Amino acid sequence: MKNTFSIMAAALLILFGATTMSAADKKIIVKSPDGKTQAEVSIGKSIYYTISQDGVQVLEPSHLSMTLSDGTIWGLGSKIKNIKTAKVNDVINAHFYKSKTVKDEYNTVTITFNDHWSLEFRAYNDGVAYRFASTKKGSYEVVSEQAQYKFAHDVETTVPYVYSPGTMEHQLFQSFENQYTRSKISDLDKNRLMFLPLSIESKNQKRITITESDLRNYPGMYLTTSIGKNTMNAFFAPLRDDVEEHAGYNNLQVIVKSRHPFIAKVNAPRSFPWRAAIVTRNDVELANTTMSYKLAAKNVIGDTSWIKPGKVAWDWWNNWNLEGVDFKAGIDNRTYKYYIDFASKNGIEYVILDEGWSVNKVYDLMQVVPEIDIKELVEYGKERNVDIILWAGYYAFDKDMEEVCKHYSEMGVKGFKVDFMNGDDQELVYFNERSAQMCAKYKLIVDLHGTYKPAGLQRTYPNILNFEGVHGLEQMKWQPKECDQVTYDVTFPFIRMISGPVDYTQGAMNNAVKALNTITNEVETQYAPNFSKPMSQGTRTHQFAEYVIFFSPLNMLCDTPTNYEKNPVSTEFIASIPTTWDETITVDGKIGEYIITARRKGNDWYIGGLNNWDAREITINVKEITGKSGNATVFKDGPNADMNGVDFVKKIENIKDTFTVRMAPGGGFVVKI
C-alpha cells in the first residue's frame, strides 16, 4: 500500500497555519432569503468561512482549499477576478421524492479567481453550501481537498463511524451501514473515519448536520477529528491503483491492494460536489430539510413515465422459508411462482430474485442456475401484473453491463438491485452513475444496495429508486442481542434520510420487544438473531409506521409470504400503503426518542409515529396537519404490546381535531384519514 494517507495529512497541515484574519482579507457575505442564516467568506492568503443563524455564529472560521497534482492550491494566495450574486426563487417538479414539488429558494454568490476556478456559496433558510468549479482545460489530478468544520466548544455529536476500525484500507472497504455513536467531539475516535451525514449540536440549541450533494465522478467525503481541537476535517479515499478481483463475500467483491497518491482524475472543466452544512433550530426542522435534493443536478434521462415505483415481495430476508406447501422451497421457479402468486393477490408490483439465481463465483450474469428459468418467471408474472427485478453483484454487473441490461430488458425484466460496491472512491462513485445511465438506456429501474448515501444522484437519475447506506432490517438476521435497532429507527430519519431514500426492507411479522420478567423483576429483550426465521425489534405497529416514516419508492415486504398469509390485516395495510408521496411533513420528534411524520397521497393522509424504548403518550392535531376531520383508520399498539410485540389494534375512530395515542416501548402508530 502506498503511503497516500500521510501525504494528504501533510497537505492539510500546510494550510492550518493561517487561521487569523488580516486587515487585507476581503469579506463576502451571503444571506438566506429570510435573512436569518448567513455565510461570511474571508479571502486573503487563505480562504475560510463562518456560518451564523439568528445572530449566533455556529461554525468558527473553517478553511477550504483544493490541491492539484501540478502543485497549484486553489484557496492559497488566490486572486479574485470577479464576484457575481444572484437570487433564486423556483419550484422543482420532483420525481419519486417525498413531495411532488419542492420550493427552491436561495441566495448565491460566485467568486471567480484568476487560476481558472471559482467558488460558489449558497445560503438557504436552513443552511449553507459551497462548491468548487473549474474551467481548467486538459487533464490533472486532485491530490486533496480541504473541508474543515471548526466549533467554538467541545460540542455533542451524533456520528456514524465506518463499520470496522483497523487499517485505513480496511476502513475504506465498507457499506455505510453502521449505527450512530453519540459523544463529545473530544471523545471521538481520532483513528476512525466517520461517514456522512453526521450531526453536531452547537451552542444556543443550534444543530449543524453535514452532508454533500451532486456527488458525481469524485470520491465521497469522510470526516475525522485527527487534526485540530473541536474540529472535523475531510478525508477522501485515494483513487484505486492495483486491485484483487473476485474477493470478499462469495468472491463477489473487489479488494484494493494499492492506491494512487491523489483522490481524483479530472479531464474536463467541471463542478465538484457541494459541501452542505444544514443549520436548524430543532430536530423537526432537520427532518424536513430538502437541501440535499435541491443541490443535486437536474434530471438528465428525460422521460420518466416508464419508471414504476412500488412494493416488492422479497425472498432473501426470510430465506425462501415457506410453510404449508407441497414442495421443497428454495431458489427455483416453483418457489418464485408462489412469491408471484402472493404478490399478485395483494397488488404488489414486483418480486425480486435475490442472490442465487445466477451461477455463483463465475461473475457472469448470463449464466443462470438450472433451477431457474427467468423468461418463464417473467411471463408468469406478466400474466398476473407482477414484474421481476434481478439482484446483481457489483463486479459481475460492471464486467458485462450493457450486454446484461440489453439481454434482460428484452426478456422483460424491469430492474436490477446492484450490491457489494462497498466503498465510495472515485471509481465506485462513477460506477453508480454509469449503472444508472445504462439502466436508463434500457428502461430499467435501479436499487443501489451495499453503497453510500444518495448524495443527489436520485434526482439526476430518477430511475434510481433506492439506496441502502442504512442499518436496515437485514441486520436483524445476525446482530447480537445487544444491538439496539429501535433507537436507530428513531435516529436515522433525522440524519441519514435527509440525503434521500433508504433500502431499509421493513415488514417483519415476528416482532420482539423488551418485556418484564415477573420472577426476576428485570426487563429482558425477546430479540435474538436468527438467519432463517428472523425477527424485528419493537412492536407490530412499529413495523407499520416504518412504511410511513421511512422513505423508499421501491419498498420491500421482507417477510415470507406464508407469514403474511397468516396475518391478513397486517398484510392488507402494508401492501396498500403508497411508496411515493405528494406532500410530506415531519410534525414532531427528537433524535433518538421519537418521530411523527405525515404524508399525503392524493386525498389520503397517513400519519405515522415511531417510538424508542420509553413508553410515551402523544397528542397530535390531525385537523391542523391534514385539514381533515372525521372517520380515520387507526393502527396502534395493543394493550399487551409491552409484553407481546405482535399485539395491535385496528379500529375506526372519529377524529374531530386532536388524536391522543399511547406508544408502547418500541412501539408506533398509524392514522389514515
Side-chain angles (χ1 to χ4, degrees):
M1 177 73 60
K2 295 175 182 177
N3 191 16
T4 56
F5 308 108
S6 59
I7 291 171
M8 285 188 287
L12 290 174
L13 284 169
I14 291 171
L15 297 168
F16 284 158
T19 57
T20 58
M21 182 172 60
S22 70
D25 287 350
K26 182 173 181 61
K27 292 184 183 179
I28 300 167
I29 295 175
V30 57
K31 291 187 177 183
S32 60
D34 66 4
K36 297 179 180 179
T37 303
Q38 74 170 41
E40 180 177 297
V41 188
S42 296
I43 301 172
K45 291 182 178 179
S46 60
I47 299 176
Y48 53 94
Y49 71 107
T50 63
I51 298 176
S52 301
Q53 189 179 77
D54 301 328
V56 177
Q57 184 167 296
V58 294
L59 188 71
E60 297 297 299
S62 299
H63 284 81
L64 55 89
S65 68
M66 187 175 284
T67 301
L68 310 186
S69 52
D70 63 3
T72 301
I73 300 177
W74 293 340
L76 194 64
S78 302
K79 303 298 182 183
I80 297 173
K81 186 176 181 180
N82 61 57
I83 300 172
K84 292 184 178 180
T85 61
K87 295 182 177 182
V88 173
N89 190 350
D90 200 1
V91 175
I92 299 169
N93 292 316
H95 298 287
F96 319 118
Y97 190 48
K98 64 181 183 178
S99 295
K100 210 168 186 177
T101 60
V102 177
K103 186 177 182 181
D104 191 21
E105 186 180 12
Y106 60 89
N107 294 328
T108 181
V109 58
T110 301
I111 310 158
T112 302
F113 296 87
N114 286 330
D115 299 328
H116 307 290
W117 71 283
S118 62
L119 269 176
E120 181 183 358
F121 274 81
R122 289 185 185 178
Y124 295 85
N125 291 342
D126 60 351
V128 168
Y130 75 86
R131 70 173 171 186
F132 290 88
S134 169
T135 57
K136 184 179 174 69
K137 297 180 180 179
S139 299
Y140 59 94
E141 292 83 37
V142 178
V143 174
S144 63
E145 180 188 340
Q146 182 188 26
Q148 188 182 67
Y149 300 90
K150 187 174 183 180
F151 304 94
H153 307 287
D154 191 10
V155 290
E156 193 77 30
T157 67
T158 304
V159 304
Y161 287 115
V162 294
Y163 196 74
S164 300
T167 66
M168 191 58 68
E169 190 55 56
H170 190 64
Q171 294 189 51
L172 292 174
F173 183 77
Q174 54 105 23
S175 56
F176 307 88
E177 296 176 72
N178 208 5
Q179 292 191 319
Y180 293 95
T181 295
R182 182 177 169 85
S183 75
K184 295 286 188 182
I185 195 170
S186 60
D187 293 328
L188 291 172
D189 190 337
K190 292 179 173 53
N191 298 309
R192 196 168 175 187
L193 296 175
M194 300 169 285
F195 58 88
L196 305 181
L198 56 77
S199 197
I200 299 104
E201 293 178 38
S202 188
K203 57 187 177 182
N204 295 82
Q205 296 184 321
K206 303 293 183 184
R207 179 178 288 278
I208 299 181
T209 303
I210 300 167
T211 192
E212 59 186 337
S213 189
D214 203 24
L215 176 61
R216 301 171 66 188
N217 199 10
Y218 193 83
M221 185 169 78
Y222 299 89
L223 289 175
T224 176
T225 58
S226 57
I227 304 172
K229 185 178 180 182
N230 298 337
T231 302
M232 293 181 171
N233 298 289
F235 180 87
F236 300 87
L239 185 62
R240 56 184 59 190
D241 182 8
D242 187 22
V243 300
E244 177 187 347
E245 299 169 351
H246 320 320
Y249 171 75
N250 273 352
N251 284 342
L252 289 166
Q253 298 162 298
V254 171
I255 303 297
V256 178
K257 297 166 66 177
S258 66
R259 294 185 182 269
H260 291 286
F262 50 83
I263 64 174
K265 288 183 177 180
V266 182
N267 55 22
R270 62 162 297 174
S271 58
F272 293 89
W274 288 100
R275 310 291 166 222
I278 299 164
V279 187
T280 51
R281 300 164 182 86
N282 54 61
D283 297 343
V284 172
E285 283 188 5
L286 175 58
N288 284 316
T289 187
T290 54
M291 188 188 294
S292 181
Y293 187 85
K294 291 184 289 194
L295 288 167
K298 297 177 181 179
N299 170 21
V300 298
I301 68 173
D303 174 43
T304 61
S305 61
W306 56 272
I307 301 171
K308 185 175 74 173
K311 298 280 186 12
V312 185
W314 186 35
D315 53 0
W316 185 86
W317 192 78
N318 57 76
N319 204 27
W320 300 268
N321 195 346
L322 302 178
E323 19 176 317
V325 298
D326 59 358
F327 58 90
K328 177 72 173 176
I331 302 173
D332 56 36
N333 270 35
R334 199 166 185 183
T335 300
Y336 281 115
K337 285 181 179 180
Y338 193 98
Y339 277 78
I340 291 169
D341 289 340
F342 162 75
S344 179
K345 179 182 176 181
N346 291 281
I348 296 166
E349 292 86 351
Y350 296 99
V351 166
I352 193 167
L353 275 64
D354 213 287
E355 181 184 3
W357 65 268
S358 64
V359 177
N360 197 15
K361 300 186 179 181
V362 298
Y363 327 109
D364 183 355
L365 294 172
M366 307 300 287
Q367 295 191 38
V368 182
V369 297
E371 297 83 4
I372 292 288
D373 184 331
I374 294 176
K375 187 174 182 180
E376 181 184 352
L377 291 176
V378 168
E379 291 302 319
Y380 188 85
K382 187 176 180 181
E383 293 169 359
R384 293 157 178 79
N385 296 315
V386 177
D387 288 317
I388 298 297
I389 296 171
L390 298 177
W391 179 94
Y394 146 68
Y395 176 74
F397 189 72
D398 194 26
K399 183 169 67 73
D400 301 308
M401 191 184 293
E402 181 147 23
E403 181 185 7
V404 165
C405 289
K406 183 175 187 295
H407 174 75
Y408 287 110
S409 68
E410 290 175 350
M411 191 179 289
V413 169
K414 296 301 181 182
F416 281 95
K417 174 184 176 181
V418 189
D419 202 354
F420 290 120
M421 285 71 89
N422 288 82
D424 63 348
D425 57 29
Q426 184 183 24
E427 183 169 320
L428 287 174
V429 170
Y430 190 41
F431 165 80
N432 280 1
E433 182 167 0
R434 289 189 294 107
S435 298
Q437 286 174 331
M438 189 64 69
C439 285
K441 179 179 179 179
Y442 292 99
K443 291 187 165 45
L444 296 164
I445 60 174
V446 188
D447 176 0
L448 291 173
H449 209 68
T451 194
Y452 53 88
K453 78 276 179 193
L457 198 63
Q458 77 280 15
R459 180 183 176 192
T460 313
Y461 295 89
N463 60 318
I464 307 177
L465 293 180
N466 276 14
F467 285 72
E468 194 183 17
V470 67
H471 193 275
L473 207 65
E474 69 176 41
Q475 299 285 336
M476 295 296 95
K477 288 168 73 75
W478 54 73
Q479 286 291 348
K481 292 173 73 72
E482 294 75 24
C483 172
D484 186 353
Q485 188 73 3
V486 162
T487 299
Y488 180 77
D489 290 345
V490 291
T491 303
F492 85 82
F494 296 95
I495 302 176
R496 157 60 181 87
M497 213 165 67
I498 65 171
S499 288
V502 292
D503 200 21
Y504 182 94
T505 66
Q506 59 269 43
M509 294 292 100
N510 186 5
N511 315 116
V513 295
K514 293 180 178 180
L516 180 67
N517 183 324
T518 56
I519 296 175
T520 64
N521 205 34
E522 293 180 354
V523 174
E524 298 175 341
T525 180
Q526 299 170 348
Y527 162 78
N530 190 309
F531 194 86
S532 294
K533 298 187 72 173
M535 65 190 74
S536 69
Q537 291 184 5
T539 67
R540 176 69 58 82
T541 49
H542 191 95
Q543 291 294 296
F544 292 166
E546 288 178 346
Y547 284 94
V548 178
I549 290 168
F550 301 167
F551 175 57
S552 303
L554 193 67
N555 220 335
M556 307 289 165
L557 278 75
C558 69
D559 220 321
T560 176
T562 50
N563 272 356
Y564 288 125
E565 288 159 356
K566 289 186 285 187
N567 292 274
V569 175
S570 299
T571 304
E572 180 185 12
F573 171 72
I574 290 172
S576 67
I577 193 168
T579 64
T580 58
W581 305 92
D582 297 331
E583 189 176 351
T584 293
I585 181 170
T586 294
V587 296
D588 197 4
K590 187 170 177 58
I591 290 177
E593 296 184 14
Y594 69 102
I595 182 169
I596 299 171
T597 298
R599 300 189 192 268
R600 180 180 63 83
K601 184 73 169 183
N603 292 322
D604 294 332
W605 278 91
Y606 294 77
I607 304 174
L610 281 179
N611 195 26
N612 66 2
W613 289 115
D614 298 323
R616 80 183 70 240
E617 189 174 274
I618 291 289
T619 298
I620 54 176
N621 193 320
V622 174
K623 189 172 183 180
E624 185 178 273
I625 296 166
T626 68
K628 301 174 74 173
S629 60
N631 287 341
T633 304
V634 176
F635 296 87
K636 58 186 178 182
D637 294 321
N640 297 304
D642 296 43
M643 291 287 290
N644 183 359
V646 303
D647 183 40
F648 73 95
V649 173
K650 175 190 176 183
K651 61 186 300 187
I652 304 298
E653 294 193 19
N654 188 275
I655 300 175
K656 293 182 179 180
D657 294 302
T658 62
F659 170 73
T660 299
V661 62
R662 177 189 182 270
M663 290 191 286
F669 72 88
V670 174
V671 175
K672 179 186 176 184
I673 188 168

